[in-house]
Structure formats: structure tokens, C-alpha cells
Amino acid sequence: VKTPAVSSSAIEYVPSGNFHTFGDHDSCIIMQDVHISNAGTHGFWFNGGHRITIRRCDIAYIGGAVFTPRIGKNGLWVRYGNAVEIWRKGRYITVEQCYIHDNYDAGFVAQGSCGDSCIDSIVVRNNLFRNNGFDNFDNPRLDPVQPVGGANP
């Protein structure tokens, strides 16, 4: 009996929630050369973490799952679907050389509030954003090319 890694050239995994979640205790992590697709809510979701790099990843077909605790305008359900989301906090996070495409909502978004220093030193550079549902890059505080809040050491 062979393991899936030996017997298959590719393995598909479709989680019902986020593909990967980063929290306060996550640090010094590089996610590189990963192809993710078909996650129901978000691709990479940050609610904390520092010194994390997402590099050369292909992130596609993320989102569309219903956010059941909240009903939006006109009684319609609100849906998830950001490829990369920083929610409320994250420091020294870099997203670079990724192909981010065909996602339900934003390609990249940093949102939520907990003060000016909670989302800090974010670098988003040399990515290709294409055909993301609502927008490709969503945050008025961040320039999609330049580092914000200092260099990423």
C-alpha cells in the first residue's frame, strides 16, 4: 500500500472553513509554493501572527460559503471569500510573488479594528491579482506596492 504522497502527483483537500489560519502564537513561518483552491471561507486568514511570509502561492476559487450568524441587506446571507485576509491584527506579514485569482471576494484585504498598531509592517509586492469578485486589493491604509509601517526584517 502506497501513501497518497507517493502514489499521486497532486492531492486535493477542500476544507469547509479557512485553508490555513494564523493566530497570535504563530511566528517565523514561510508558506511557499503552495497551490490552494476551493476553500469555503478564506485562503490564508490572519488574526494575529508575526514574521509570516506567503510566497509563490497560487490562490484560487476561494469563498462563497454563507456566514450564518449575519444576515445582510434585504435579508440576504453574507458570504465569505477573501484569498488573503488579515483580520484585526498581524505584524511583519509579507505576501509576494503570488498569483491570486478567481476568488469570491477580495484578493487581499486587511480589515477590522483594534487600533493603529494591530495591523503593522505589511508588505504586499510582486503579485498578480486577477478576476477577484469584489476587488483585488482592499485597504485604504496600505499601498499594494510599498511596505507599510517600516521594512519587513
Side-chain angles (χ1 to χ4, degrees), residues 43-115:
F44 292 110
W45 187 73
F46 293 83
N47 188 11
H50 60 283
R51 289 181 170 68
I52 299 173
T53 298
I54 308 298
R55 180 183 299 132
R56 293 193 316 253
C57 293
D58 184 338
I59 307 169
Y61 304 103
I62 303 297
V66 173
F67 181 53
T68 55
R70 182 171 165 207
I71 297 176
K73 295 179 183 179
N74 302 322
L76 301 175
W77 294 106
V78 172
R79 294 184 180 271
Y80 290 103
N82 299 315
V84 178
E85 177 177 300
I86 301 172
W87 176 253
R88 296 189 54 211
K89 52 190 173 175
R91 302 189 69 216
Y92 298 104
I93 296 170
T94 299
V95 180
E96 63 185 359
Q97 302 171 17
C98 295
Y99 181 33
I100 300 173
H101 61 101
D102 298 297
N103 296 294
Y104 180 79
D105 200 342
F108 173 90
V109 63
Q111 61 188 9
S113 61
C114 82

